[in-house]
Amino acid sequence: MTARNDSDSIEAARQRLGKRLVILAHHYMSDAVARHADYTGDSLELSRRIPDLDAEYIVFCGVFFMAETAAILAKPGQKVFIPEMNSRCVMSDMAPAWLARNVLDVLAAGGLHVTPLTYVNSSAAVKALVGERGGSVCTSANAKVMLEWALAQGPHTLFLPDVRLGLNSADWVGLPKELRHILDIREHGKAIMLEKARQAQLLLWPGQCVIHSRFKPESIRKARAESPGCKVVVHPECHPNTVALADACGSTSFIIKYVAEAPEGSVIYVGTEWNLVNRLAGQYKGVKDVRPLLYSTCSNMEKVTEPNLACLLENLDSSPCVEVDEALIPPARMALTRMLEVCAGPASRHA
Ligand code: 13P
Ligand code: SF4
C-alpha cells in the first residue's frame, strides 16, 4: 500500500471541485500550504477578495479571525472553512468583546465620545461592537489612513487590540505623544483613569503580538554591525523603537514588494514571521541576501499544515464550517465595509 500523498490529494480535490472551491492563504503560511492557494495575500488583500468570490467553498489558510472575517463578508450560501479551527491569533484574544464593551461603556459614562478602531486581528464580536459604535476596522496595510479617518470622526479614538500598531500609526499621522494614552483595562475597565483619557485624542488597548515583540532595536544594531550597508524592513506590529531604527515598515505585502524592489546584491534583514522570510530568502537566493532579523514563528499560523488541508478537502461536506452568530454579522460587516470603502484605492505604504 502506498502512503497517502497530501499534495496529490489536495490537487485531486481541487480538480474535483473546480470553480466551487477557492483556497486563500496568508503570507505566513508554510510553502507546503501556500503552493496550493488560488490567492495569497496580506490580511487587507485577502479581505478585499471575499466580496468578489463566487465559489461555494472558501477555504482560508491562516488564523481564525481571518476565516471569521471571510465568513462575515461572504455571500449567503457560501461556506468558509479553516483547516485548523484552533489556529488562534494570540493578540486578537487579548481583547475579549465583553471587556471591550465594558471599556467603551466606562468611557461613555465618563462623557467621552469615542470612535473605536479595531485592528482586523480581532474577533467577530469585537468587530460587531465597533460597528455598532460607529467605528471601523484597519489592517497593517491601511492603519495610517484608517486612523486619520477615525480621528476625524470625533474627539477620541480607541485603537485596539495592538498597542504597537496604534503607536506606529500615531507616529505616521504625526499625533503628538501627549495626546496618546494607553488604557489600564484591569478590574473589568474600572481602573481606567478618566482624566488622562479625557486629555488624550488616541486611547490605546494594551495588546501586542508576541512574535513581533521579539524584534528589538538591539537586533537591528547587531544586523547593521554584521553587514554594514544592509537594509532592514519590519512589520508595524514591532515596537516603535524598533520601527524607528528600520529603513522601512509595512504589512507583509509591503515587505514582499520592498524586497522585490531592492537592488541586486542587497542584504535585507526582515523583521516578521519566519515562514515569509524563509520564502523570500529562497526566492531571491543568489540574487539578494534576505535574512531573518531574528528567528520568530507564529505557532498558530503553523497549525495549518498540508495534511490538515488535505484532510479538510477530502471531508468538506462533513466538516464544520466557520459560523458567525447571525446577530453579529450586520454590525461586523458594517465595520468592515466602512474600511473597504475608505480604502477603496491602492493600499497605503509606510517607509
Ligand atoms: P498583515 O496585515 O501584514 O497580513 O499581517 C497580519 C498579521 O497577523 C501579522 O502578524
Ligand atoms: Fe496574531 Fe502575531 Fe500570529 Fe500575526 S503573528 S497571527 S498578530 S499572533
Side-chain angles (χ1 to χ4, degrees):
M1 199 175 115
T2 49
R4 191 183 73 161
N5 178 322
D6 293 317
S7 179
D8 289 349
S9 136
I10 294 168
E11 290 312 313
R14 284 166 57 81
Q15 290 294 321
R16 190 174 71 248
L17 292 162
K19 287 197 162 62
R20 294 172 69 203
L21 169 72
V22 164
I23 302 179
L24 305 175
H26 187 264
H27 290 312
Y28 289 165
M29 287 292 103
S30 65
D31 287 344
V33 172
R35 66 191 166 137
H36 298 293
D38 295 289
Y39 303 107
T40 52
D42 67 12
S43 27
L44 177 63
E45 290 163 342
L46 295 173
S47 305
R48 275 178 169 171
R49 287 214 176 266
I50 309 297
D52 296 329
L53 297 179
D54 290 319
E56 190 180 332
Y57 305 114
I58 299 171
V59 173
F60 207 118
C61 300
V63 282
F64 189 77
F65 78 80
M66 295 179 174
E68 214 181 27
T69 303
I72 295 165
L73 292 171
K75 298 184 184 83
Q78 283 182 317
K79 285 187 172 170
V80 177
F81 296 88
I82 183 166
E84 170 53 63
M85 284 278 190
N86 198 29
S87 154
R88 309 215 39 110
C89 166
V90 178
M91 177 169 59
S92 80
D93 290 342
M94 289 179 187
W98 67 267
L99 185 53
R101 186 176 290 279
N102 277 9
V103 164
L104 284 170
D105 288 346
V106 167
L107 294 168
L112 280 83
H113 183 278
V114 176
T115 305
L117 181 63
T118 186
Y119 189 22
V120 70
N121 298 37
S122 53
S123 67
V126 166
K127 291 184 181 84
L129 171 68
V130 159
E132 254 173 47
R133 307 280 173 116
S136 189
V137 180
C138 72
T139 75
S140 64
N142 64 18
K144 175 176 183 268
V145 174
M146 290 311 297
L147 180 59
E148 276 164 347
W149 173 87
L151 291 170
Q153 304 306 303
H156 306 281
T157 294
L158 169 63
F159 190 96
L160 71 163
D162 186 7
V163 67
R164 268 79 195 265
L165 181 62
L167 289 172
N168 286 321
S169 307
D171 286 342
W172 296 327
V173 304
L175 188 79
K177 297 226 178 337
E178 57 278 14
L179 295 180
R180 312 171 188 183
H181 173 62
I182 300 174
L183 292 173
D184 185 340
I185 55 167
R186 289 172 301 175
E187 298 172 43
H188 294 193
K190 291 196 195 82
I192 287 173
M193 289 181 280
L194 279 172
E195 214 29 62
K196 291 243 186 233
R198 238 174 244 123
Q199 286 157 19
Q201 218 178 326
L202 178 61
L203 307 170
L204 298 126
W205 193 274
Q208 58 180 279
C209 168
V210 288
I211 286 83
H212 287 88
S213 297
R214 294 184 188 130
F215 302 108
K216 311 267 187 223
E218 300 85 86
S219 328
I220 299 188
R221 286 191 201 102
K222 192 164 160 262
R224 295 208 193 278
E226 265 169 27
S227 308
C230 69
K231 294 289 179 195
V232 181
V233 58
V234 300
H235 194 276
E237 287 172 15
C238 294
H239 193 286
N241 291 347
T242 303
V243 172
L245 290 187
D247 296 291
C249 172
S251 76
T252 47
S253 288
F254 172 87
I255 291 172
I256 291 170
K257 201 155 185 280
Y258 184 86
V259 171
E261 287 171 0
E264 284 189 17
S266 304
V267 176
I268 311 150
Y269 284 85
V270 182
T272 197
E273 209 273 345
W274 181 80
N275 274 296
L276 172 57
V277 187
N278 185 45
R279 182 171 312 122
L280 289 169
Q283 209 174 319
Y284 291 99
K285 199 167 182 222
V287 184
K288 303 172 195 184
D289 190 351
V290 181
R291 303 177 185 174
L293 192 53
L294 198 89
Y295 174 75
S296 192
T297 60
C298 177
S299 54
N300 277 288
M301 288 279 185
E302 289 191 330
K303 286 179 186 166
V304 175
T305 61
E306 196 175 42
N308 59 29
L309 174 60
C311 180
L312 170 69
L313 293 178
E314 275 167 24
N315 303 289
L316 216 43
D317 284 319
S318 55
S319 296
C321 61
V322 176
E323 306 263 19
V324 180
D325 185 333
E326 281 290 312
L328 298 178
I329 294 181
R333 188 181 285 157
M334 194 194 300
L336 283 161
T337 306
R338 280 187 191 122
M339 170 186 86
L340 296 174
E341 284 170 2
V342 173
C343 301
S348 60
R349 296 184 47 154
H350 321 294

